[in-house]
Amino acid sequence: MSNPQDELCPPPSEDDELTLPRASINKMIKELIPSIRVANESRELILNCCTEFIHLISSEANEVCNLRNKKTINAEHVLEALERLGFRDYKHEAEAVLSDCKAVAAKRRRQSTRLEHLGIPEEELLRQQQELFAKAREEQAAAEQAQWLNLQAAAIQQKDLNNGDNDEDDGEDY
């Protein structure tokens, strides 16, 4: 008689390297259902399901890629694989994520392009940044020293005032 645990969580094999990081899965579970405790075997089952889902989609996307006589699986192949496997609901979610990823990539390209248009090598920009940091540290140190000197002067002035009060209380008349 087989153990139900073995069916849910098969023993480790060579394919273990082809799984998602457990920490990532745990973080997603915690974000999605923060008020519910999830048993370790359930987490393992979720991990295996996610891994199997990715394998399924990847295999189908590879089939679509081969049908199109392409050598690289692209996003459109994955979206078509979702459609072919009956995951139409996920297809819309995937399209939204793809759109977000493209926007982030475009933003990165614009940022790197801005640096390239400056015509200043990255090493020079880093040197300039270090100079600005050093100047800011010097200015901060000078401001702190000026503040300290002001405090010292105020303390001396207060001491002189207190000593002046004591001189008047000597009882000496002029």
Side-chain angles (χ1 to χ4, degrees):
M1 188 161 134
S2 71
N3 183 352
Q5 176 69 20
D6 291 340
E7 291 176 20
L8 293 176
C9 305
S13 67
E14 294 176 14
D15 290 341
D16 278 349
E17 293 180 25
L18 302 176
T19 63
L20 299 169
R22 281 176 173 71
S24 298
I25 295 296
N26 290 339
K27 183 178 178 186
M28 284 189 268
I29 292 170
K30 189 74 168 169
E31 287 175 3
L32 291 172
I33 47 175
S35 60
I36 297 176
R37 292 183 57 187
V38 179
N40 285 337
E41 63 187 35
S42 297
R43 290 176 187 271
E44 193 69 28
L45 178 60
I46 291 169
L47 176 69
N48 290 337
C49 289
C50 291
T51 301
E52 186 60 34
F53 181 75
I54 291 170
H55 284 223
L56 178 67
I57 299 301
S58 299
S59 296
E60 191 65 25
N62 187 47
E63 288 290 321
V64 172
C65 182
N66 288 335
L67 287 173
R68 305 281 183 272
N69 294 319
K70 302 289 182 181
K71 295 187 185 278
T72 304
I73 297 173
N74 63 35
E76 288 73 27
H77 299 142
V78 175
L79 293 172
E80 188 173 332
L82 287 170
E83 182 81 28
R84 288 173 59 165
L85 291 169
F87 295 109
R88 287 171 189 82
D89 294 340
Y90 294 114
K91 182 179 176 185
H92 298 294
E93 297 270 339
E95 288 170 334
V97 170
L98 177 61
S99 176
D100 291 345
C101 287
K102 285 182 178 181
V104 168
K107 183 177 179 182
R108 273 197 210 125
R109 280 193 302 273
R110 282 194 304 274
Q111 287 175 341
S112 66
T113 303
R114 284 186 203 141
L115 285 176
E116 291 166 2
H117 283 127
L118 286 175
I120 302 172
E122 187 174 346
E123 294 82 17
E124 175 62 18
L125 289 171
L126 288 172
R127 187 191 64 73
Q128 289 177 5
Q129 182 184 42
Q130 293 303 320
E131 283 180 10
L132 290 171
F133 286 156
K135 183 179 176 184
R137 281 191 292 273
E138 288 173 9
E139 290 173 359
Q140 180 66 29
E144 287 174 0
Q145 184 167 3
Q147 183 181 15
W148 185 82
L149 290 173
N150 286 339
L151 287 172
Q152 290 296 319
I156 291 170
Q157 188 178 23
Q158 185 65 38
K159 183 179 176 184
D160 288 345
L161 286 173
N162 289 341
N163 285 340
D165 289 343
N166 290 341
D167 289 343
E168 292 174 10
D169 292 340
D170 286 346
E172 293 180 20
D173 293 328
Y174 293 98

